[in-house]
Amino acid sequence: MAKPVGIREVAEAAGVSVTTVSHALNGKGRLPLETRTRVRAVAADLGYTPRIAARNLGGGRSGLIGLFMSEAEGLPSTLSGNNYFTELLGAATGAALEHGYALVLATAANSQSEPWRRWALDGAIVVDPVRGDPVLTALREADMPLVTTGRPTDGIETYWVDNDIVAGTRSMLDHLARRGARRIALIDSAPIRSVGLDLREAYAAFCADTAMAPMIAEAAWDLSEHAGFDAALQLLERADPPDAIYTSYDRLALGVLLAADASGLSVPRDLLVAGCTDSVAARMSSPSLTVLTLNPTDVGTRAVELLVALLEERPAPEHEYVATGIISRGSTRRSSRRGRNLPAVGLAEQLGELAAEAG
Amino acid sequence: MAKPVGIREVAEAAGVSVTTVSHALNGKGRLPLETRTRVRAVAADLGYTPRIAARNLGGGRSGLIGLFMSEAEGLPSTLSGNNYFTELLGAATGAALEHGYALVLATAANSQSEPWRRWALDGAIVVDPVRGDPVLTALREADMPLVTTGRPTDGIETYWVDNDIVAGTRSMLDHLARRGARRIALIDSAPIRSVGLDLREAYAAFCADTAMAPMIAEAAWDLSEHAGFDAALQLLERADPPDAIYTSYDRLALGVLLAADASGLSVPRDLLVAGCTDSVAARMSSPSLTVLTLNPTDVGTRAVELLVALLEERPAPEHEYVATGIISRGSTRRSSRRGRNLPAVGLAEQLGELAAEAG
DNA sequence: TCCACAAGCAAAAACGTATTGCCTAATTCC
DNA sequence: GGAATTAGGCAATACGTTTTTGCTTGTGGA
């Protein structure tokens, strides 16, 4: 067990003082370039890594970014079965490490213990904050540098990275209309995040523009297939049922597919279905599901980079939008001649998409 | 901006020295119970939270646990579309916070920077280490308390939490045999993790026991539906095609479903299909997919608790097994009378399962 | 020639906690 | 009743880095 190499060892090896080493490595002080490079070389040679804990003690940076999953009371874990969040998390982790930071995971459930206190986080990312999220206000009060994905809905001003949900929703509704839909219904849960509010806003605007009567069914908060199923049945049993359903989450849309099946309706012949957020399940359902992807990878990366820029006091945009995109699949395909849903069609498409991904 | 309350403030408020406060809060030293409780009350009253960085400086614990996703060269992120890992991660996060630790995410990609150095991690969890994983050996050399999920395959001795893959696989193969399968093929990628080795071992044993000729197709490492599709076609084009296929990952099995479709085979009438690890996609495919669930939630929780026990020097089992379970769904359902795959059957089942989950 | 100033570096303080050793008073043991 | 022990608590110190202060040497201008 060799003694871990600290700044002292570097100083000794380079024949200078610890001060000089610190200055050389951090670009502070007034040192001739020669000394700077020499010290750096020695440090690298010895495999020196500053201990963040020590640096942090003196008021410096901890190199830790908290990633908070905002959760509402009684909701299941954001993470569970949530492809959007998973992708976002993976991208954020990579981006953080790339900039010399590490991601610390935290949930609202344990926010009472105030992790930012214990671990002296440099900054925090709150993913899709729900209305009245105590974590968000607590972080704000603690003056924690803060970036949210999705906008806070409480009038709290933060830096954020968001999708242009209004535009994206509009494009999806247009997509459905182009495919022949005349009565498009919306399924979502009670809006407690900015994404939900934007969705309703866009839907209302679309209805106004096209003189279409709004049809909204509210899904249970757990956002499961079950919730989508129930909400869809509610819509399909109306006297004037919709001919297309758009949902705010892909798992809801998968439930809609089941409900259509149960109601003896064929998708896409009798009913067009589309969801928001992409996932393996959306690709593999039958028929495969047309979705509005929110590009969670980009959202996660941009959020981290925005926060890091903030921390390092580089100029950064207060707000940033990430593009959405429509992935058109079987559930909104124009009906085939034979009027039935050909599995083979879905198959070819699925494999085509997979190949495109691989390539 | 009030001055953050430190141990000094608590000491002053309680009318004792900082030493006494430290001892009272950490259960060290010799103090009468009365003093202990009083100091604790004062600390709680002031909202005191020890700063981990400072504690860590004196050789104490950082309260940070590294969670490393072991990845092989050229493989896509473990996280992407991987329900197993996602569930594990969520559970691990919660368990860690419950014990006063926080999870730090790290990937193999950036392991060169040796995060455990920078952030002084107390311990690490490596998820399903691949053979020759440099992270694992580096952590081992740094004497980092270590728990892996799945066993290391390099002869490295660590604490681990694992599924009994051998027994689980056997039960699944039995399940398929009971459903009438006589020629069960296996699809997996080249075994670079303990789970793969166990799977092959169990398969080989099953073949020996039942005098069944082994049929193994190797899938591409990306473990996508595409990989499963290719491997399945390879099997189905044989002169003696299998009547059941078991895959080492659910997304591979989803690819098998597509391949069966493309080959004009009906699942489960002509071919039984089962996968390993559960997911939303497995539940929502058509037919829904029978899987061997590895209960990732338990694996994650147990791994954290084992590591925490290690760190706190409580007695802990070196190795621990988490139960697997067969979730029987449409893809291994005994063919219905009418000999075709009724969507309604899959539907009822899916919703039943969802209801059971909700209840 | 002397002073002001810059450059280069060393010494020391500060950060907040845990730990070690020591001191006093109280108790127990002969 | 004296000595030994124990309980209770405090002061001092260590941890590794950054930052502040200050010292020395050299250099230019007055």
Side-chain angles (χ1 to χ4, degrees), chain B residues 61-296:
Chain B
R61 299 298 176 188
S62 66
L64 255 27
I65 293 177
L67 194 133
F68 292 82
M69 334 186 200
S70 181
E71 289 173 2
E73 200 71 28
L75 263 82
S77 162
T78 312
L79 210 49
S80 188
N82 187 330
N83 194 77
Y84 171 83
F85 186 79
T86 302
E87 301 279 343
L88 191 156
L89 180 57
T93 302
L97 285 173
E98 208 145 293
H99 289 279
Y101 289 80
L103 234 49
V104 173
L105 250 43
T107 57
N110 299 64
S111 65
Q112 313 146 7
S113 56
E114 303 199 329
W116 53 93
R117 268 250 147 73
R118 292 173 62 79
W119 286 284
L121 303 178
D122 289 345
I125 294 175
V126 179
V127 179
D128 285 308
V130 300
R131 191 164 45 207
D133 190 335
V135 173
L136 196 57
T137 54
L139 286 171
R140 162 47 58 103
E141 270 170 24
D143 263 328
M144 176 77 58
L146 200 56
V147 170
T148 64
T149 70
R151 307 184 310 281
T153 54
D154 306 307
I156 296 179
E157 288 286 321
T158 64
Y159 289 74
W160 48 253
V161 174
D162 197 10
N163 296 108
D164 190 344
I165 298 291
V166 173
T169 302
R170 180 57 185 247
S171 71
M172 179 58 94
L173 294 171
D174 287 338
H175 171 92
L176 292 170
R178 268 202 312 279
R179 303 293 171 120
R182 292 294 165 262
R183 306 182 39 72
I184 306 174
L186 178 69
I187 293 181
D188 70 353
S189 53
I192 52 173
R193 301 187 164 94
S194 70
V195 54
L197 295 170
D198 291 350
L199 188 60
R200 297 224 173 186
E201 178 191 327
Y203 181 73
F206 179 85
C207 289
D209 289 357
T210 61
M212 196 181 75
M215 260 185 289
I216 300 184
E218 218 155 82
W221 269 4
D222 66 354
L223 297 178
S224 67
E225 293 79 14
H226 196 94
F229 182 86
D230 289 344
L233 275 193
Q234 196 179 311
L235 287 170
L236 296 175
E237 280 167 0
R238 291 172 58 129
D240 52 349
D243 58 4
I245 297 182
Y246 179 55
T247 74
S248 63
Y249 185 46
D250 63 334
R251 291 182 64 183
L252 292 176
L254 294 172
V256 174
L257 291 181
L258 297 180
D261 213 357
S263 305
L265 297 175
S266 162
V267 176
R269 194 192 52 190
D270 309 319
L271 183 72
L272 301 181
V273 178
C276 189
T277 72
D278 193 22
S279 69
V280 174
R283 233 169 26 215
M284 298 307 299
S285 67
S286 176
S288 58
L289 191 65
T290 294
V291 295
L292 183 73
T293 177
L294 303 182
N295 292 314

Side-chain angles (χ1 to χ4, degrees), chain A residues 9-353:
Chain A
E9 282 70 30
V10 177
E12 194 173 350
V16 294
S17 73
V18 290
T19 311
T20 306
V21 175
S22 177
H23 282 168
L25 294 180
N26 298 322
K28 302 279 178 73
R30 345 165 250 199
L31 295 179
L33 190 60
E34 193 275 328
T35 307
R36 233 175 257 279
T37 52
R38 185 166 51 87
V39 169
R40 282 191 177 152
V42 171
D45 200 41
L46 264 56
Y48 167 72
T49 317
R51 285 193 51 188
I52 303 267
R55 166 182 300 171
N56 181 235
L57 198 51
R61 298 298 177 191
S62 66
L64 252 30
I65 293 177
L67 193 134
F68 291 82
M69 333 185 200
S70 180
E71 289 173 1
E73 199 71 28
L75 262 82
S77 161
T78 313
L79 210 48
S80 187
N82 188 330
N83 194 77
Y84 171 84
F85 186 78
T86 302
E87 301 280 342
L88 190 155
L89 179 57
T93 301
L97 284 172
E98 208 145 293
H99 289 279
Y101 290 81
L103 233 49
V104 173
L105 247 45
T107 57
N110 300 63
S111 64
Q112 313 146 6
S113 56
E114 303 199 331
W116 51 94
R117 267 252 148 73
R118 292 174 63 81
W119 286 285
L121 305 177
D122 289 347
I125 295 176
V126 178
V127 179
D128 284 310
V130 301
R131 191 164 45 206
D133 192 335
V135 173
L136 196 57
T137 53
L139 287 170
R140 160 49 57 104
E141 270 170 25
D143 264 327
M144 175 78 56
L146 199 56
V147 170
T148 64
T149 70
R151 309 184 309 282
T153 54
D154 305 308
I156 296 179
E157 287 287 323
T158 65
Y159 289 73
W160 48 255
V161 175
D162 197 8
N163 296 108
D164 191 343
I165 297 293
V166 173
T169 301
R170 180 57 186 245
S171 72
M172 179 57 92
L173 294 171
D174 286 340
H175 171 91
L176 291 170
R178 269 200 312 278
R179 302 295 169 119
R182 291 296 164 261
R183 307 180 38 72
I184 306 175
L186 178 68
I187 292 181
D188 70 351
S189 54
I192 53 174
R193 301 186 164 95
S194 72
V195 55
L197 295 170
D198 291 350
L199 189 59
R200 297 223 172 186
E201 179 189 327
Y203 180 72
F206 179 84
C207 288
D209 288 356
T210 61
M212 195 181 75
M215 259 183 291
I216 301 184
E218 218 155 82
W221 269 3
D222 66 354
L223 297 178
S224 67
E225 293 79 13
H226 196 93
F229 182 86
D230 288 344
L233 275 194
Q234 195 180 313
L235 287 170
L236 296 176
E237 281 167 359
R238 290 170 59 128
D240 53 346
D243 58 4
I245 298 181
Y246 178 55
T247 74
S248 63
Y249 184 47
D250 63 333
R251 290 182 64 185
L252 292 176
L254 294 172
V256 173
L257 292 181
L258 297 180
D261 213 357
S263 305
L265 297 175
S266 163
V267 175
R269 193 192 53 188
D270 309 318
L271 181 73
L272 301 182
V273 179
C276 188
T277 73
D278 194 20
S279 69
V280 175
R283 234 170 24 218
M284 298 307 298
S285 65
S286 175
S288 58
L289 192 66
T290 293
V291 294
L292 183 73
T293 177
L294 303 182
N295 293 313
T297 301
D298 292 343
V299 175
T301 305
R302 300 304 305 142
V304 166
E305 286 176 349
L306 178 51
L307 181 56
V308 168
L310 235 54
L311 294 177
E312 295 175 354
E313 291 174 343
R314 282 183 276 122
E318 272 190 58
H319 308 313
E320 205 164 336
Y321 281 102
V322 168
T324 62
I326 289 180
I327 302 179
S328 178
R329 298 203 184 96
S331 67
T332 59
R333 181 115 329 161
R334 224 178 278 274
S335 312
S336 78
R337 287 274 163 72
R338 281 181 284 176
R340 65 186 192 92
N341 178 34
L342 286 177
V345 170
L347 172 67
E349 169 195 22
Q350 281 156 11
L351 288 175
E353 192 179 312

Side-chain angles (χ1 to χ4, degrees), chain B residues 7 19 22 26 28 48 51 54-55:
Chain B
I7 198 173
T19 310
S22 176
N26 298 322
K28 303 279 178 71
Y48 167 71
R51 285 194 50 187
R55 167 183 300 172

